[in-house]
Amino acid sequence: MNPYLKHDEWCIIEEGFNPANTRASESIFSIGNGAMGQRANFEEQFSGDTLQGSYIGGVYYPDKTRVGWWKNGYPEYFAKVINSTNWIGIDIDINGEPLDLAKCKVEEFRRVLNMKEGFLERTFTCENSSGVRLEANVKRFLSIANPEVGAIRYNLKILNADVKFCIAPYLDGDVQNEDSNYGEKFWDEVERHADVNQSLLVTKTRKLDFHVGHAMRYSLYLNGQKVVAESNLLDKHMYAGCKLFLNLKSGDEVEFYKYAAVISSLNHEKGMFPKVLTQLLDLAISKGYTQLLKEHSEAWNEIWNHSDITIEGDLAAQQAIRFNIFQLSQTYTGKDERLNIGPKGFTGEKYGGSTYWDTEAYCLPFYMITHGQSVARQLLLYRYKHLGKAIENAQKLGFTDGAALYPMVTMNGEECHNEWEITFEEIHRNGAIAFAIYNYVRYTGDKNYLANFGLEVLIAIARFWAQRVNFSDEKGKYVMLGVTGPNEYENNVNNNWYTNYLACWCLEYAQKVAEYVKENHAEKYNALTAKISFNRTQEVSKWRDIRENMFFPVDTKTGIILQQEGYMDKEQILVKDLDPKHRPLNQKWSWDRILRSCFIKQADVLQGMYFFEDNFDLETIRKNFDFYEARTVHESSLSPCVHSVLAAKIGNIEKAYELYLRTARLDLDDYNREVREGLHITSMAGTWISIVEGFGGMRVKDNMLCFNPLIPTQWKSYSFKVCFRENILKVIVSKDDIAVINEEGPAIPLLVFGDKHTLAAKATLTVERKSGRG
Ligand code: BGC
C-alpha cells in the first residue's frame, strides 16, 4: 500500500512533491471526457520519471504480437491504445533555463482533482538553479460538454527577480508508447501548420490509417492586461507551436490560456480536419475559458445528480466511491456505440485499452442504473455489431454453422489477446455477453431489444456451446475440456463448474428468448431464422439434451461445488496460513507453482453464485463462500467486489466491509503497488455494485425493484441513486430505516425487506429496518 493522498469528500489531494509518486499521481489524477483522456502529466518540461499518456477513444494500433512459440489460431496483433499528440505542452523558460520540477527546489506543491466540477489543479512554489523563485497555479479540463475541446489556464508569478521569460505552447506528435513491442513508432505526420495565432498538427497511425488532428490557440495576460508578446515559431517535423517572450519584473503575474481542439477520423472526414479544428477553436475562444469551464462543471453536476453515492461517517469510503464514479463517468459516456471501457480506461497503456468481459460482467449495472437505459443499450449494441467477427473468430478455431466466440480482448471485434490459455480457453466470456443481455432486459423491461438484436447474439453463442462440449462415454455426461475459468490461476482444466453452468444457462436462455420472439415478434423471428438458418426444433432439442446431461463436479464428501475436476487433489492451504512474504503470489511465485497450488485469483464458482443467486439456497452459498473465499488471494482487481456482495448476502457484514474497502481504495491507496501503470477502471464498477447490490441489497424481481439493505457499523448512513425505467429514485439507508424518495417519474411498486409498497410520485417511503439478512 502507499496511502499518500489526503481524505476529502469531493477532492483527491496530494500535498508535497515526491518524485517517487509521479507516475502513480499521473494515473490517479487523470482526466477524460468519454471521447479522450489525459494522464496528469505536467504541462511544462519534466525530466523525472513519467509515463506520458494522451489517449483518444477508438484510435488504436495493431502492434505485432510477440510470443515465444507461435501457435495456429493466434491473432496477428495485440491492439494498443496509443499515446497521441501531446496537446497540453506549455514550456516555460526563465533566463534561458527551462522550468523543470525535477531540477528545481520545490517548496510547496499541491495537486487537486476536483471531482465535483471535473478539473485538475496544480499549485506550486519553487526555486530554480539560479535562485529565481516563482509560484504557479495550473488548471485544466477536458470538456464533457464540448467533447473535442480541452483548456488550460497557467498562472505564474515571479517572486524575487527581474527575468527574461519565455512561454511556449506547442503540439508534439512525436510521441511513443512505452509498451510498443518492437520499439516501433506508431505515428506519421500528415499536415502541420505553425502560426502565432493557431497551430495545427494532423498525424496518422502507420497502420489502419487513423487520422487525429490537434489545433491550439492561446491568450496571454500580464498583470491582468492582455498582451501581444514578441514571438518565434516552433515549426519542425511533428511539432508545431510558438515561443512568446516577455521581460518580467519581480512580482509580475502572467496569466496564460491554452485552448486545444482534438478530433479523429472516427468522427470527421480527413480532408476536413483544418476546417473542423478551426471551427472548434473559434467556438472555444468565443466562449472563453470561464464559460467553457462553467458548461463543463454543469455537465458534471448533471452526472452527479443521477449517480452520486453519499456515505456519512466514513470519509475514506466516501472519497473512494466518488473517485470510482468519477473515473467511470469520464471513461464512458455512451455517446458513441463504437467505444467501450478498457480495464485502464484512458489512464495507462496496460491491457491495450481494449474491451474485456469486464464490461458485461461488471460495468453494465453501473452504467445502466446511473446513466440510464440508452447508455446500457450502447454497450450491448457494441457486441451486436461485432457478431460477424465473433463468428469468424469461432470459424478460425474450427467451429461451424454460425457459432460465435467473442474475443477475450478486442478493439473492433477481432481477437487480439495472444496467450493460448486465455484466447482459446477462457471462453466463459461468451456467457457474460449473453448474461448482460438478460441483465439489461430484466432491468429495463426492453424486450424489443431481444427481437431486434439480442436473439441473434444468443443463438450464435448457444451454437458455440453446443459444439464446444462433447459427450463422455465414460461419464455418460456432456463435458467441457481444456478451459480456463475466471480464476486465471488455473489453466487448461476440465469441467470448470462455472463455465459448464454458464453454458447450460445460455442454452436455456437462448431457447426461452427464441420462444418469446417467435410468439411475440413473428415477422422478425421468421426473418432472423431465414437469415441464420436456425432450425429451432432440431437445435433446441440438442441444447436441451446438453443441459439435462451436463457434468458438474462436486466434492462428494463435503458437498462443495468443485471449481473444476481434480481441485481437491491439490494441497489444501488457506490464504490466512500463507506467509505474507509470499504475497502477491503473481510477483513472488513461479507460474507453475501458482498453477499447482489451490490459490484462487478471483471469483470463479462464486462468480456463478453471484450471477445466478436465485438458483442456490442460502446455505449452499454460505458453504461455498466460506470454502472459496478462504483460498482466494484477490489478485485480480475484479475479485473483492463479487465477494463483498456475496458476503453481504449471507449476512457477513464485516467481511463485506473489509472487501468493499479493498475494492474502493484499490487505486487511491495503491493496494497492489501498480497504480503507476493506470487505474483499474472496470473494477471500479464492481465497487459501485458492492454498495448498491451488496449493502443496499437492491435487486429486480418480476419487474419490481427490491431493497434489503444492511449498513456497515462504520457508517452512519449512505445513499445512492437509481434510474429505473421511468423513475429516478434516491435511496437513503440509515441504522434504523431505509427511505426511498421518488424524485422523478410515476408511482412505483417496491419490495422493501420483503414487503410490498407503492411509492407515489414525488413521495418518500420510510420503512424501519428488519434485523439482519441472510
Ligand atoms: C483478470 C480478468 C480481467 C482482466 C482485465 C485480469 O487480471 O483475471 O478477469 O478480464 O484482468 O481486467
Side-chain angles (χ1 to χ4, degrees):
M1 271 177 68
N2 181 23
Y4 65 93
L5 302 165
K6 298 256 160 319
H7 291 176
D8 183 272
E9 269 190 37
W10 276 109
C11 291
I12 307 299
I13 303 168
E14 176 184 10
E15 275 174 358
F17 183 59
N18 179 357
N21 288 333
T22 305
R23 278 187 183 234
S25 290
E26 285 174 345
S27 302
I28 292 169
F29 290 80
S30 289
I31 53 170
N33 64 7
M36 55 182 160
Q38 171 67 49
R39 282 172 62 84
N41 308 126
F42 296 161
E43 284 77 3
E44 74 283 351
Q45 203 181 89
F46 182 64
S47 58
D49 182 35
T50 167
L51 173 66
Q52 296 289 306
S54 180
Y55 310 105
I56 300 178
V59 175
Y60 63 95
Y61 194 80
D63 202 14
K64 270 181 276 169
T65 291
R66 188 156 137 166
V67 288
W69 201 266
W70 192 267
K71 297 197 170 54
N72 261 352
Y74 271 166
E76 296 291 323
Y77 69 90
F78 185 82
K80 301 254 157 92
V81 57
I82 39 179
N83 180 24
S84 74
T85 295
N86 169 357
W87 64 271
I88 60 167
I90 303 174
D91 278 348
I92 309 275
D93 196 288
I94 293 164
N95 293 332
E97 181 180 337
L99 173 64
D100 176 352
L101 289 192
K103 294 184 178 157
C104 289
K105 199 162 113 202
V106 182
E107 294 166 14
E108 272 168 46
F109 181 92
R110 185 177 160 89
R111 180 157 31 190
V112 177
L113 182 66
N114 182 319
M115 301 184 286
K116 193 166 191 187
E117 295 179 40
F119 62 79
L120 168 64
E121 187 167 18
R122 181 166 57 106
T123 314
F124 58 89
T125 307
C126 66
E127 182 180 319
N128 74 5
S129 68
S130 333
V132 179
R133 293 180 64 239
L134 60 88
E135 64 185 29
N137 173 275
V138 193
K139 193 161 161 177
R140 76 169 180 244
F141 60 95
L142 267 173
S143 177
I144 294 245
N146 305 269
E148 293 174 322
V149 169
I152 305 170
R153 194 200 63 199
Y154 204 120
N155 284 357
L156 187 140
K157 183 174 176 182
I158 302 290
L159 297 175
N160 62 345
D162 298 351
V163 298
K164 285 194 183 311
F165 177 81
C166 171
I167 186 161
Y170 65 86
L171 302 168
D172 179 7
D174 189 18
V175 291
Q176 270 181 291
N177 265 45
E178 261 193 4
D179 67 353
S180 157
N181 274 344
Y182 293 88
E184 229 184 311
K185 288 210 173 177
F186 298 153
W187 297 100
D188 277 329
E189 181 178 304
V190 177
E191 188 173 348
R192 182 177 89 240
H193 183 73
D195 186 278
V196 214
N197 295 320
Q198 173 172 307
S199 291
L200 178 153
L201 183 66
V202 180
T203 52
K204 69 172 179 126
T205 52
R206 290 190 177 170
K207 289 184 198 156
L208 299 182
D209 202 37
F210 285 113
H211 284 219
V212 303
H214 290 74
M216 61 154 212
R217 282 188 217 164
Y218 63 85
S219 49
L220 175 64
Y221 296 79
L222 178 60
N223 298 325
Q225 297 295 317
K226 195 161 185 175
V227 286
V228 178
E230 194 192 317
S231 61
N232 271 350
L233 291 187
L234 290 165
D235 189 13
K236 55 179 185 182
H237 183 62
M238 301 284 257
Y239 198 98
C242 61
K243 283 185 162 186
L244 306 168
F245 301 96
L246 291 174
N247 287 319
L248 297 185
K249 295 210 162 24
S250 177
D252 274 352
E253 289 184 34
V254 175
E255 198 174 331
F256 183 79
Y257 295 92
K258 180 175 179 181
Y259 300 88
V262 182
I263 59 174
S264 82
S265 51
L266 258 71
N267 299 314
H268 298 279
E269 273 181 47
K270 291 169 188 160
M272 300 300 283
F273 271 32
K275 192 169 169 210
V276 175
L277 288 166
T278 303
Q279 281 169 351
L280 282 165
L281 285 180
D282 283 346
L283 188 67
I285 293 269
S286 73
K287 287 185 175 168
Y289 177 87
T290 310
Q291 178 62 20
L292 284 173
L293 180 56
K294 184 165 173 268
E295 288 173 11
H296 172 68
S297 305
E298 281 166 4
W300 267 111
N301 192 31
E302 193 44 42
I303 293 174
W304 286 116
N305 263 343
H306 53 74
S307 62
D308 192 22
I309 290 187
T310 63
I311 298 173
E312 238 199 309
D314 188 343
L315 194 54
Q318 171 68 82
Q319 180 187 45
I321 187 62
R322 286 206 171 118
F323 179 67
N324 287 256
I325 295 170
F326 177 76
Q327 291 295 348
L328 286 163
S329 303
Q330 64 172 3
T331 301
Y332 184 76
T333 56
K335 289 193 183 120
D336 185 340
E337 80 202 16
R338 294 164 301 178
L339 302 185
N340 209 279
I341 308 131
K344 299 254 169 262
F346 296 119
T347 69
E349 296 175 357
K350 200 171 172 197
Y351 294 114
S354 325
T355 310
Y356 285 64
W357 73 301
D358 306 28
T359 294
E360 285 76 19
Y362 292 84
C363 299
L364 183 83
F366 167 79
Y367 290 104
M368 180 162 72
I369 298 171
T370 62
H371 287 55
Q373 179 173 329
S374 62
V375 175
R377 196 167 181 275
Q378 294 285 62
L379 288 174
L380 300 193
L381 282 175
Y382 175 92
R383 295 294 193 176
Y384 176 76
K385 300 237 156 120
H386 290 177
L387 179 58
K389 297 253 190 209
I391 292 174
E392 265 174 43
N393 185 40
Q395 273 166 358
K396 281 187 203 151
L397 306 185
F399 295 87
T400 58
D401 302 317
L405 176 60
Y406 277 93
M408 184 66 188
V409 180
T410 194
M411 272 290 178
N412 65 351
E414 285 164 15
E415 177 63 85
C416 56
H417 195 287
N418 47 37
E419 288 167 288
W420 64 269
E421 62 275 25
I422 291 182
T423 308
F424 304 143
E425 299 205 330
E426 205 175 331
I427 49 179
H428 66 81
R429 72 234 185 196
N430 239 19
I433 288 162
F435 185 79
I437 297 174
Y438 162 76
N439 207 4
Y440 167 82
V441 174
R442 169 174 65 173
Y443 190 82
T444 62
D446 178 13
K447 286 191 163 183
N448 285 338
Y449 185 83
L450 295 174
N452 295 332
F453 309 104
L455 179 59
E456 195 174 340
V457 171
L458 293 172
I459 290 176
I461 288 176
R463 284 172 164 174
F464 169 81
W465 292 124
Q467 293 173 40
R468 186 59 170 78
V469 297
N470 67 279
F471 191 78
S472 154
D473 285 335
E474 192 183 300
K475 287 192 164 69
K477 292 273 181 192
Y478 285 95
V479 292
M480 197 153 7
L481 308 178
V483 304
T484 296
N487 166 25
E488 291 177 346
Y489 286 179
E490 302 276 358
N491 296 155
N492 202 33
V493 300
N494 292 338
N495 292 309
N496 168 261
W497 177 85
Y498 171 73
T499 311
N500 285 12
Y501 195 89
L502 189 61
C504 289
W505 175 85
C506 289
L507 295 173
E508 188 180 9
Y509 185 54
Q511 175 188 339
K512 281 189 186 152
V513 172
E515 281 156 12
Y516 165 80
V517 176
K518 182 171 183 290
E519 267 168 41
N520 296 279
H521 302 265
E523 220 173 285
K524 284 188 177 146
Y525 179 80
N526 293 334
L528 179 65
T529 48
K531 177 177 154 193
I532 62 170
S533 310
F534 179 52
N535 181 335
R536 192 173 66 94
T537 325
Q538 216 180 5
E539 294 193 48
V540 162
S541 87
K542 172 79 183 166
W543 298 352
R544 188 177 302 114
D545 186 43
I546 294 170
R547 288 198 278 116
E548 287 171 359
N549 295 292
M550 181 66 101
F551 174 74
F552 292 107
V554 174
D555 180 46
T556 41
K557 274 197 220 125
T558 57
I560 296 289
I561 288 170
L562 281 185
Q563 188 177 261
Q564 75 258 359
E565 266 184 281
Y567 182 77
M568 284 305 193
D569 293 338
K570 293 177 172 242
E571 190 184 358
Q572 296 295 322
I573 308 173
L574 303 187
V575 175
K576 72 174 172 53
D577 299 326
L578 252 178
D579 187 332
K581 73 173 193 273
H582 293 290
R583 308 278 307 272
L585 299 184
N586 60 13
Q587 288 171 27
K588 302 287 170 63
W589 282 11
S590 70
W591 187 239
D592 85 292
R593 187 171 179 192
I594 290 180
L595 291 179
R596 280 183 281 113
S597 82
C598 74
F599 295 115
I600 298 171
K601 182 181 181 189
Q602 67 201 93
D604 195 300
V605 166
L606 297 181
Q607 183 76 35
M609 299 209 155
Y610 165 66
F611 276 168
F612 305 112
E613 59 174 7
D614 291 342
N615 298 351
F616 304 94
D617 61 57
L618 215 54
E619 198 35 47
T620 304
I621 298 180
R622 186 173 286 124
K623 207 157 99 177
N624 283 280
F625 180 88
D626 291 345
F627 180 83
Y628 282 110
E629 207 281 325
R631 289 159 175 79
T632 301
V633 286
H634 301 293
E635 287 177 13
S636 160
S637 64
L638 299 176
S639 187
C641 55
V642 169
H643 288 85
S644 177
V645 175
L646 287 176
K649 176 156 180 94
I650 58 175
N652 187 346
I653 184 86
E654 285 79 26
K655 192 82 196 165
Y657 181 72
E658 172 202 317
L659 291 163
Y660 164 76
L661 268 197
R662 183 163 174 163
T663 163
R665 294 196 63 89
L666 177 75
D667 288 325
L668 289 177
D669 293 340
D670 201 4
Y671 270 75
N672 295 343
R673 280 280 186 176
E674 58 178 17
V675 73
R676 61 185 183 282
E677 296 172 349
L679 302 174
H680 296 86
I681 298 291
T682 47
S683 80
M684 292 184 175
T687 306
W688 179 92
I689 290 176
S690 310
I691 294 193
V692 175
E693 293 182 16
F695 301 132
M698 188 179 104
R699 302 288 187 274
V700 176
K701 286 193 181 144
D702 303 327
N703 291 308
M704 194 163 48
L705 273 182
C706 315
F707 298 97
N708 191 9
L710 296 173
I711 181 163
T713 44
Q714 294 80 350
W715 298 358
K716 280 198 196 120
S717 72
Y718 63 100
S719 77
F720 54 92
K721 293 284 190 93
V722 179
C723 309
F724 180 68
R725 304 189 185 184
E726 292 167 90
N727 292 82
I728 296 188
L729 307 178
K730 180 170 182 175
V731 181
I732 306 169
V733 181
S734 68
K735 302 264 186 222
D736 305 321
D737 56 30
I738 168 174
V740 187
I741 305 168
N742 190 354
E743 290 190 340
E744 264 181 64
I748 176 174
L750 299 174
L751 210 61
V752 182
F753 295 120
D755 298 328
K756 195 165 171 188
H757 302 264
T758 300
L759 174 58
K762 300 280 173 216
T764 300
L765 167 77
T766 306
V767 182
E768 258 179 51
R769 160 169 309 285
K770 291 194 179 166
S771 62
R773 180 187 313 165

